[in-house]
Amino acid sequence: MEENLLSIKNAALSLILDAKDDKMLEEIKLQFLGRSGQLTLAIKEITKVPVEERKEIGILANEVKQTIEEALNEQEKILSKKRKQIIFERIDVTNPSVKPPLGHLHLVTQAIEEISAIFSKIGFERVRYPEVEWDWYSFGALNFPQNHPARDEWETFFIKESPHEKYGAMLLTPHTSSGQIREMERKKPPIRMLNIAKTYRRQSDISHVPMFHQFEGLVVDKDIAITHLKGTLDYFVRSFFGKDRKSRIRPYHFQFTEPSFEVDVSCGVCNGKGCKVCKAGWLELGGAGMVHPNVLRAGKIDPNEYSGFAFGFGPERCMMMKEGLKIEDLRILYSNNLDFLEQF
Ligand code: PHE
């Protein structure tokens, strides 16, 4: 009798644990506790047990019944919890999704792409030349006399390398003008070059970074005059800053251009009248000029046959002027600061 009760208990418990839904639980309940259920029948048999064992068997039978009932309740709770979870986890495809974080190009790269596109429309070919360069390309061929103090002006980074017998010291390009000679060596005129590259100078403060960019335009052809330079500058300024903006050239001095100019763009806030942003109506863009005959000669181009113009600006500066950005410390551009970069 005792064995019979225990095996009923075990059978019931294992069935209950396997039950997948309420209907199965209901069937198990009937099978064991129903009117003709296995346990009900077994309990009826207790009357046949000898009197002295009857009490003990009775207690055991009650325990078995209780255990089965508790297991049934417990399994019912587990099943209902699972049902709720499934409802909760069901995906509602009409809900707005969680967007994965998307990156974007660095704001200076964005400016470089835009500048390239503007110049490619008027036939400028984008090139890049070594940024670890010889003195000859950066200074010598650009009409800087040997030991001219202008070499200091650029506060150049020099590479620990014995000087080349023809090209002099090895350095990091302090400006993209080194590309002028490289381009003249690469191809015969007509030349329409846009050299965008990293440039390096020994400077680091709130308005200077040791590594920045420049874009250098060079045009060499027959009968190139200042008007071509002015037209190109106007075209760039209109395309990049907006159709109402104008360019202005002022006399200046560079070793490698004659005459040389500084280029300004009319202020977008006051249109050249003068305001708090620009003070005198114009914002400074960079340098330009007509290619010096000595530079053409260094590039093996006959200055009696050809002439040219060149300009060199900074995309960082252009981008900031366009956006009306006043960056307190320019070094943040290259500091991988996501709070800053994600704004663009
Ligand atoms: N290389 C000059 C600079 O870095 C800019 C420039 C380029 C000037 C071409 C004239 C012509 O300041």
Short mmCIF file of all heavy atoms in Angstrom, two decimals, residues 138 142 144 153-154 174-178 180 199 201 212 214-218 252-257 259-262 286-291 309-313, ligand 1:
data_model
loop_
_atom_site.label_atom_id
_atom_site.label_comp_id
_atom_site.label_asym_id
_atom_site.label_seq_id
_atom_site.Cartn_x
_atom_site.Cartn_y
_atom_site.Cartn_z
N SER A 138 60.01 72.25 -50.43
CA SER A 138 59.26 73.12 -49.52
C SER A 138 59.78 74.56 -49.52
O SER A 138 59.00 75.49 -49.29
CB SER A 138 59.36 72.57 -48.09
OG SER A 138 58.80 71.29 -48.03
N LEU A 142 61.19 77.01 -54.11
CA LEU A 142 60.16 78.05 -54.02
C LEU A 142 60.79 79.42 -53.80
O LEU A 142 60.17 80.32 -53.22
CB LEU A 142 59.15 77.72 -52.90
CG LEU A 142 58.31 76.46 -53.14
CD1 LEU A 142 57.38 76.21 -51.96
CD2 LEU A 142 57.47 76.59 -54.42
N PHE A 144 63.16 80.51 -51.90
CA PHE A 144 63.70 80.95 -50.62
C PHE A 144 65.22 80.89 -50.73
O PHE A 144 65.76 79.80 -50.97
CB PHE A 144 63.27 80.01 -49.48
CG PHE A 144 61.83 80.13 -49.08
CD1 PHE A 144 60.83 79.55 -49.84
CD2 PHE A 144 61.47 80.81 -47.92
CE1 PHE A 144 59.50 79.64 -49.46
CE2 PHE A 144 60.14 80.91 -47.53
CZ PHE A 144 59.15 80.33 -48.31
N GLU A 153 60.42 81.26 -40.10
CA GLU A 153 59.05 81.76 -40.03
C GLU A 153 58.06 80.59 -40.05
O GLU A 153 57.02 80.62 -39.42
CB GLU A 153 58.81 82.62 -41.26
CG GLU A 153 57.81 83.73 -41.11
CD GLU A 153 57.77 84.53 -42.39
OE1 GLU A 153 58.67 85.38 -42.61
OE2 GLU A 153 56.87 84.27 -43.19
N TRP A 154 58.40 79.58 -40.79
CA TRP A 154 57.49 78.44 -40.90
C TRP A 154 57.63 77.46 -39.73
O TRP A 154 56.87 76.54 -39.63
CB TRP A 154 57.73 77.71 -42.24
CG TRP A 154 56.74 78.16 -43.26
CD1 TRP A 154 55.58 77.53 -43.57
CD2 TRP A 154 56.80 79.30 -44.10
NE1 TRP A 154 54.91 78.23 -44.55
CE2 TRP A 154 55.63 79.32 -44.89
CE3 TRP A 154 57.72 80.33 -44.27
CZ2 TRP A 154 55.37 80.31 -45.84
CZ3 TRP A 154 57.46 81.31 -45.20
CH2 TRP A 154 56.29 81.31 -45.97
N PRO A 174 55.62 72.18 -44.29
CA PRO A 174 55.00 73.25 -43.51
C PRO A 174 53.88 73.94 -44.29
O PRO A 174 53.11 74.70 -43.74
CB PRO A 174 56.15 74.22 -43.26
CG PRO A 174 57.07 74.01 -44.42
CD PRO A 174 56.92 72.59 -44.87
N HIS A 175 53.81 73.69 -45.60
CA HIS A 175 52.71 74.21 -46.42
C HIS A 175 52.56 73.29 -47.65
O HIS A 175 53.45 72.49 -47.95
CB HIS A 175 52.94 75.66 -46.85
CG HIS A 175 54.25 75.92 -47.55
ND1 HIS A 175 54.63 77.16 -48.00
CD2 HIS A 175 55.27 75.09 -47.90
CE1 HIS A 175 55.81 77.08 -48.58
NE2 HIS A 175 56.22 75.85 -48.52
N THR A 176 51.43 73.41 -48.33
CA THR A 176 51.19 72.55 -49.50
C THR A 176 51.87 73.09 -50.76
O THR A 176 51.79 72.47 -51.81
CB THR A 176 49.68 72.40 -49.75
OG1 THR A 176 49.06 73.67 -49.60
CG2 THR A 176 49.06 71.40 -48.80
N SER A 177 52.56 74.22 -50.63
CA SER A 177 53.22 74.81 -51.81
C SER A 177 54.30 73.88 -52.37
O SER A 177 54.67 74.01 -53.54
CB SER A 177 53.81 76.18 -51.46
OG SER A 177 52.78 77.05 -51.03
N SER A 178 54.80 72.96 -51.52
CA SER A 178 55.78 71.98 -52.02
C SER A 178 55.21 71.18 -53.20
O SER A 178 55.95 70.72 -54.07
CB SER A 178 56.20 71.03 -50.90
OG SER A 178 55.04 70.50 -50.26
N GLN A 180 53.63 72.36 -55.65
CA GLN A 180 53.75 73.10 -56.92
C GLN A 180 54.85 72.51 -57.79
O GLN A 180 54.66 72.23 -58.98
CB GLN A 180 54.05 74.58 -56.65
CG GLN A 180 52.90 75.33 -55.98
CD GLN A 180 53.16 76.84 -55.94
OE1 GLN A 180 53.99 77.36 -56.69
NE2 GLN A 180 52.45 77.52 -55.06
N THR A 199 49.59 69.61 -43.21
CA THR A 199 50.76 70.47 -43.09
C THR A 199 51.13 70.55 -41.61
O THR A 199 50.26 70.37 -40.74
CB THR A 199 50.45 71.87 -43.65
OG1 THR A 199 49.17 72.26 -43.20
CG2 THR A 199 50.44 71.85 -45.16
N ARG A 201 53.45 72.47 -38.47
CA ARG A 201 54.30 73.56 -37.98
C ARG A 201 54.43 73.44 -36.46
O ARG A 201 53.52 72.94 -35.80
CB ARG A 201 53.70 74.93 -38.34
CG ARG A 201 53.71 75.15 -39.84
CD ARG A 201 53.24 76.53 -40.22
NE ARG A 201 52.93 76.56 -41.65
CZ ARG A 201 52.47 77.61 -42.31
NH1 ARG A 201 52.29 78.75 -41.67
NH2 ARG A 201 52.21 77.55 -43.60
N PHE A 212 47.68 70.49 -39.38
CA PHE A 212 46.44 71.05 -39.93
C PHE A 212 46.42 70.73 -41.42
O PHE A 212 47.24 69.93 -41.89
CB PHE A 212 46.34 72.55 -39.63
CG PHE A 212 47.53 73.36 -40.09
CD1 PHE A 212 47.45 74.17 -41.22
CD2 PHE A 212 48.75 73.30 -39.43
CE1 PHE A 212 48.56 74.92 -41.66
CE2 PHE A 212 49.86 74.03 -39.85
CZ PHE A 212 49.75 74.84 -40.97
N GLN A 214 45.99 72.14 -45.64
CA GLN A 214 45.93 73.24 -46.59
C GLN A 214 45.42 72.71 -47.91
O GLN A 214 45.58 71.52 -48.21
CB GLN A 214 47.31 73.88 -46.81
CG GLN A 214 47.74 74.81 -45.69
CD GLN A 214 48.98 75.63 -46.04
OE1 GLN A 214 49.70 75.33 -46.99
NE2 GLN A 214 49.23 76.66 -45.25
N PHE A 215 44.79 73.56 -48.68
CA PHE A 215 44.54 73.19 -50.08
C PHE A 215 45.19 74.24 -50.96
O PHE A 215 45.03 75.44 -50.76
CB PHE A 215 43.07 72.96 -50.40
CG PHE A 215 42.13 74.11 -50.17
CD1 PHE A 215 41.67 74.86 -51.24
CD2 PHE A 215 41.67 74.40 -48.89
CE1 PHE A 215 40.77 75.90 -51.04
CE2 PHE A 215 40.78 75.45 -48.68
CZ PHE A 215 40.32 76.20 -49.76
N GLU A 216 45.98 73.72 -51.89
CA GLU A 216 46.82 74.57 -52.73
C GLU A 216 46.32 74.46 -54.16
O GLU A 216 46.22 73.37 -54.71
CB GLU A 216 48.27 74.05 -52.65
CG GLU A 216 49.27 74.86 -53.42
CD GLU A 216 50.02 75.82 -52.50
OE1 GLU A 216 49.78 75.76 -51.27
OE2 GLU A 216 50.84 76.61 -53.00
N GLY A 217 45.99 75.59 -54.73
CA GLY A 217 45.63 75.59 -56.14
C GLY A 217 46.81 76.08 -56.95
O GLY A 217 47.54 76.98 -56.53
N LEU A 218 47.04 75.44 -58.08
CA LEU A 218 48.10 75.91 -58.99
C LEU A 218 47.57 75.79 -60.42
O LEU A 218 47.09 74.74 -60.83
CB LEU A 218 49.36 75.05 -58.83
CG LEU A 218 50.47 75.35 -59.86
CD1 LEU A 218 51.12 76.70 -59.58
CD2 LEU A 218 51.52 74.24 -59.86
N TYR A 252 50.61 91.64 -50.68
CA TYR A 252 51.30 90.97 -49.57
C TYR A 252 52.66 90.50 -50.09
O TYR A 252 53.07 90.86 -51.19
CB TYR A 252 50.44 89.79 -49.09
CG TYR A 252 50.81 89.30 -47.71
CD1 TYR A 252 50.56 90.10 -46.59
CD2 TYR A 252 51.39 88.05 -47.52
CE1 TYR A 252 50.89 89.65 -45.32
CE2 TYR A 252 51.73 87.60 -46.25
CZ TYR A 252 51.48 88.41 -45.15
OH TYR A 252 51.80 87.96 -43.91
N HIS A 253 53.34 89.68 -49.31
CA HIS A 253 54.61 89.17 -49.79
C HIS A 253 54.77 87.68 -49.53
O HIS A 253 54.56 87.20 -48.41
CB HIS A 253 55.78 89.90 -49.12
CG HIS A 253 57.10 89.25 -49.42
ND1 HIS A 253 57.73 89.37 -50.64
CD2 HIS A 253 57.88 88.42 -48.68
CE1 HIS A 253 58.83 88.66 -50.63
NE2 HIS A 253 58.97 88.07 -49.47
N PHE A 254 55.05 86.94 -50.57
CA PHE A 254 55.51 85.56 -50.43
C PHE A 254 56.74 85.41 -51.33
O PHE A 254 56.84 86.10 -52.35
CB PHE A 254 54.44 84.56 -50.88
CG PHE A 254 53.22 84.52 -49.97
CD1 PHE A 254 52.04 85.14 -50.37
CD2 PHE A 254 53.27 83.89 -48.74
CE1 PHE A 254 50.93 85.13 -49.55
CE2 PHE A 254 52.15 83.88 -47.91
CZ PHE A 254 50.98 84.49 -48.31
N GLN A 255 57.65 84.53 -50.96
CA GLN A 255 58.87 84.33 -51.76
C GLN A 255 58.55 83.74 -53.13
O GLN A 255 59.25 83.99 -54.10
CB GLN A 255 59.82 83.38 -51.02
CG GLN A 255 60.51 83.98 -49.84
CD GLN A 255 61.53 85.04 -50.23
OE1 GLN A 255 62.07 85.06 -51.34
NE2 GLN A 255 61.78 85.95 -49.30
N PHE A 256 57.50 82.96 -53.20
CA PHE A 256 57.28 82.14 -54.39
C PHE A 256 56.21 82.67 -55.31
O PHE A 256 55.83 82.02 -56.29
CB PHE A 256 56.96 80.69 -53.97
CG PHE A 256 56.10 80.62 -52.73
CD1 PHE A 256 54.72 80.51 -52.84
CD2 PHE A 256 56.66 80.69 -51.46
CE1 PHE A 256 53.93 80.46 -51.71
CE2 PHE A 256 55.88 80.65 -50.33
CZ PHE A 256 54.51 80.54 -50.44
N THR A 257 55.69 83.86 -55.00
CA THR A 257 54.72 84.49 -55.92
C THR A 257 55.10 85.95 -56.11
O THR A 257 55.64 86.59 -55.20
CB THR A 257 53.28 84.41 -55.37
OG1 THR A 257 53.28 84.77 -53.99
CG2 THR A 257 52.69 83.02 -55.54
N PRO A 259 53.24 89.28 -58.42
CA PRO A 259 52.95 89.83 -57.09
C PRO A 259 52.25 88.80 -56.19
O PRO A 259 51.73 87.80 -56.66
CB PRO A 259 52.01 90.99 -57.41
CG PRO A 259 51.35 90.62 -58.70
CD PRO A 259 52.36 89.81 -59.47
N SER A 260 52.24 89.13 -54.89
CA SER A 260 51.59 88.25 -53.90
C SER A 260 50.41 88.97 -53.27
O SER A 260 50.39 90.21 -53.22
CB SER A 260 52.58 87.89 -52.79
OG SER A 260 53.71 87.24 -53.31
N PHE A 261 49.46 88.19 -52.82
CA PHE A 261 48.25 88.78 -52.22
C PHE A 261 47.82 88.02 -50.97
O PHE A 261 48.12 86.84 -50.83
CB PHE A 261 47.07 88.72 -53.20
CG PHE A 261 47.38 89.22 -54.56
CD1 PHE A 261 47.58 88.34 -55.62
CD2 PHE A 261 47.50 90.59 -54.80
CE1 PHE A 261 47.88 88.80 -56.89
CE2 PHE A 261 47.80 91.06 -56.08
CZ PHE A 261 47.99 90.17 -57.12
N GLU A 262 47.09 88.75 -50.15
CA GLU A 262 46.29 88.05 -49.15
C GLU A 262 44.86 88.12 -49.65
O GLU A 262 44.43 89.12 -50.23
CB GLU A 262 46.44 88.70 -47.78
CG GLU A 262 47.69 88.18 -47.08
CD GLU A 262 47.51 87.99 -45.60
OE1 GLU A 262 47.10 88.95 -44.92
OE2 GLU A 262 47.80 86.88 -45.11
N GLY A 286 43.50 83.49 -46.81
CA GLY A 286 44.83 82.90 -46.97
C GLY A 286 45.64 83.64 -48.01
O GLY A 286 45.32 84.78 -48.36
N GLY A 287 46.69 82.98 -48.51
CA GLY A 287 47.62 83.64 -49.43
C GLY A 287 47.44 83.20 -50.87
O GLY A 287 46.90 82.13 -51.16
N ALA A 288 47.91 84.07 -51.79
CA ALA A 288 47.83 83.75 -53.22
C ALA A 288 48.81 84.62 -53.98
O ALA A 288 49.46 85.51 -53.41
CB ALA A 288 46.42 83.99 -53.73
N GLY A 289 48.94 84.40 -55.27
CA GLY A 289 49.81 85.24 -56.08
C GLY A 289 50.10 84.62 -57.44
O GLY A 289 49.62 83.52 -57.74
N MET A 290 50.86 85.38 -58.24
CA MET A 290 51.27 84.87 -59.55
C MET A 290 52.58 84.11 -59.36
O MET A 290 53.51 84.63 -58.71
CB MET A 290 51.46 86.03 -60.54
CG MET A 290 50.21 86.90 -60.70
SD MET A 290 48.72 85.96 -61.08
CE MET A 290 49.05 85.43 -62.74
N VAL A 291 52.66 82.91 -59.91
CA VAL A 291 53.84 82.06 -59.69
C VAL A 291 55.11 82.81 -60.11
O VAL A 291 55.20 83.35 -61.22
CB VAL A 291 53.71 80.74 -60.47
CG1 VAL A 291 54.91 79.83 -60.20
CG2 VAL A 291 52.41 80.02 -60.10
N PHE A 309 49.16 81.09 -61.63
CA PHE A 309 48.83 81.62 -60.30
C PHE A 309 48.71 80.47 -59.31
O PHE A 309 48.57 79.30 -59.71
CB PHE A 309 47.55 82.47 -60.32
CG PHE A 309 46.27 81.71 -60.60
CD1 PHE A 309 45.66 80.92 -59.63
CD2 PHE A 309 45.65 81.82 -61.85
CE1 PHE A 309 44.47 80.24 -59.89
CE2 PHE A 309 44.45 81.15 -62.11
CZ PHE A 309 43.87 80.35 -61.13
N ALA A 310 48.82 80.81 -58.03
CA ALA A 310 48.70 79.80 -56.97
C ALA A 310 48.00 80.44 -55.78
O ALA A 310 48.02 81.65 -55.61
CB ALA A 310 50.08 79.30 -56.56
N PHE A 311 47.35 79.58 -55.01
CA PHE A 311 46.78 80.06 -53.74
C PHE A 311 46.84 78.92 -52.73
O PHE A 311 46.89 77.74 -53.11
CB PHE A 311 45.33 80.54 -53.93
CG PHE A 311 44.41 79.49 -54.51
CD1 PHE A 311 43.78 78.56 -53.70
CD2 PHE A 311 44.19 79.44 -55.89
CE1 PHE A 311 42.94 77.60 -54.24
CE2 PHE A 311 43.36 78.47 -56.44
CZ PHE A 311 42.72 77.55 -55.62
N GLY A 312 46.86 79.28 -51.48
CA GLY A 312 46.90 78.26 -50.42
C GLY A 312 46.05 78.69 -49.24
O GLY A 312 46.31 79.71 -48.62
N PHE A 313 44.99 77.90 -48.96
CA PHE A 313 44.08 78.21 -47.85
C PHE A 313 43.97 77.01 -46.91
O PHE A 313 44.36 75.90 -47.27
CB PHE A 313 42.66 78.52 -48.37
CG PHE A 313 42.59 79.62 -49.41
CD1 PHE A 313 41.59 79.60 -50.37
CD2 PHE A 313 43.50 80.65 -49.42
CE1 PHE A 313 41.50 80.61 -51.33
CE2 PHE A 313 43.43 81.66 -50.37
CZ PHE A 313 42.42 81.64 -51.33
N1 PHE B 1 52.07 78.68 -48.68
C1 PHE B 1 51.50 79.93 -48.19
C2 PHE B 1 51.24 79.78 -46.68
O1 PHE B 1 51.30 78.69 -46.16
C3 PHE B 1 50.19 80.25 -48.88
C4 PHE B 1 50.34 80.52 -50.36
C5 PHE B 1 50.12 79.54 -51.30
C6 PHE B 1 50.71 81.80 -50.80
C7 PHE B 1 50.25 79.79 -52.65
C8 PHE B 1 50.83 82.07 -52.13
C9 PHE B 1 50.59 81.08 -53.05
O2 PHE B 1 50.97 80.76 -46.00
#
